Amino acid sequence: MPQISVCVEMVYDDEPFHERIPRAAAVGADAVEFWGWREKDLEALETAADDADVPLIGCTAGGTLTEPDEADDAVETIRESIETAADLGISALIATTGPDQDDLDRETQHETIVEVLSRVAADAEDAGVTIVLEPLNTAVDHPGYYLTSSAEGFEIVDEVDSPNVKLLYDVYHQQITEGNVIQTITENVDRIGHFHIADVPGRHEPGTGELDYENIFAAIDDTDYDGYVGCEFSPSDGTDADEAMATVLEWR
């Protein structure tokens, strides 16, 4: 079974930030991830993780990948994030595409995403960091975002053609956007570098909605995937975060 990481931006968002890390470790999580690093006290973050004996394994890269005029800036932003991730021992650097540009056709935006990721791929390889490109849903959470389809995400990964550029498959987002979760995972697992999980509807803990996570975990376990599954959900009303994590950790 893949190891379980906790996105402390969501699961333990009622705690001061650096106190979330030992709490995640205490409940039995294998690792911790977060979103943006630029506004964080990285020294305190690293100290908290070391003291809790839990690795930091994921953060976001930043940058807009859909606008050709911003491609150079996006490359420099991601390169800076690769360097920071490597310094922190972070293995998965989460890349989002940015918005669908109203004045550009999708082919141009797709090509720009491929260009940006291709330019930083060697940097990621040298640093031992995997860039994981994340499709998001536009129906509920991220209206106006460019990349919604896992199919297009896999096309981008194939076109970049680097072992250190893969897809972040967020089960919650892809259930809303397209469904067919287990077949998509099992047929494309070699192009997936990280998972996120939450239930639908509500983006709460597994077991609160329509997704059969016991079967989804079993399907992932039947593949050769050896990365992390990240818990990126908000505990449902009246549910303690530790309680919300309990079922997920039982499936580990």
Side-chain angles (χ1 to χ4, degrees):
M1 174 62 64
Q3 293 184 304
I4 303 297
S5 64
V6 177
C7 178
V8 293
E9 303 275 3
M10 292 190 68
V11 178
Y12 291 106
D13 66 353
D14 59 340
E15 299 273 7
F17 193 81
H18 295 102
E19 294 178 20
R20 303 175 194 181
I21 294 172
R23 187 167 175 192
V27 79
D30 300 303
V32 167
E33 57 187 271
F34 54 99
W35 293 338
W37 59 267
R38 288 173 174 81
E39 74 279 12
K40 303 291 193 304
D41 181 339
L42 297 182
E43 183 176 352
L45 188 65
E46 193 168 20
T47 297
D50 288 343
D51 289 347
D53 194 26
V54 63
L56 303 170
I57 59 90
C59 68
T60 56
T64 298
L65 281 60
T66 50
E67 172 56 71
D69 291 341
E70 297 183 27
D72 289 345
D73 289 341
V75 167
E76 291 309 309
T77 295
I78 296 173
R79 282 178 174 157
E80 185 182 15
S81 293
I82 290 170
E83 182 178 349
T84 300
D87 288 344
L88 293 172
I90 286 172
S91 57
L93 185 63
I94 301 167
T96 52
T97 63
D100 188 351
Q101 306 291 336
D102 292 337
D103 58 339
L104 295 173
D105 59 75
R106 288 191 65 86
E107 181 180 1
T108 298
Q109 295 179 78
H110 179 107
E111 290 173 352
T112 304
I113 296 166
V114 172
E115 176 200 341
V116 170
L117 294 177
S118 296
R119 289 171 62 184
V120 299
D123 301 273
E125 292 171 20
D126 291 344
V129 172
T130 298
I131 299 169
V132 287
L133 179 67
E134 184 171 22
L136 305 172
N137 84 77
T138 57
V140 178
D141 299 286
H142 300 280
Y145 184 72
Y146 173 84
L147 183 64
T148 61
S149 154
S150 64
E152 184 174 3
F154 291 131
E155 288 176 5
I156 291 168
V157 168
D158 287 346
E159 290 170 40
V160 176
D161 193 23
S162 165
N164 288 65
V165 177
K166 295 192 175 185
L167 196 82
L168 193 168
Y169 190 91
D170 188 310
V171 178
Y172 165 79
H173 288 303
Q174 295 317 115
Q175 171 69 0
I176 292 172
T177 300
E178 61 195 19
N180 198 32
V181 168
I182 288 177
Q183 184 175 357
T184 301
I185 290 170
T186 55
E187 291 183 353
N188 298 281
V189 71
D190 58 325
R191 295 183 283 183
I192 295 173
H194 195 58
F195 286 95
H196 278 163
I197 60 171
D199 220 328
V200 179
R203 204 173 184 180
H204 298 311
E205 67 271 16
T208 58
E210 67 195 24
L211 283 157
D212 188 337
Y213 267 106
E214 189 167 2
N215 282 345
I216 293 168
F217 268 73
I220 295 171
D221 196 31
D222 283 342
T223 72
D224 59 0
Y225 179 77
D226 61 358
Y228 287 91
V229 172
C231 297
E232 193 183 52
F233 58 73
S234 295
S236 52
D237 290 345
T239 303
D240 177 79
D242 292 346
E243 180 185 348
M245 285 296 303
T247 299
V248 178
L249 292 169
E250 287 176 1
W251 293 331
R252 175 180 49 189

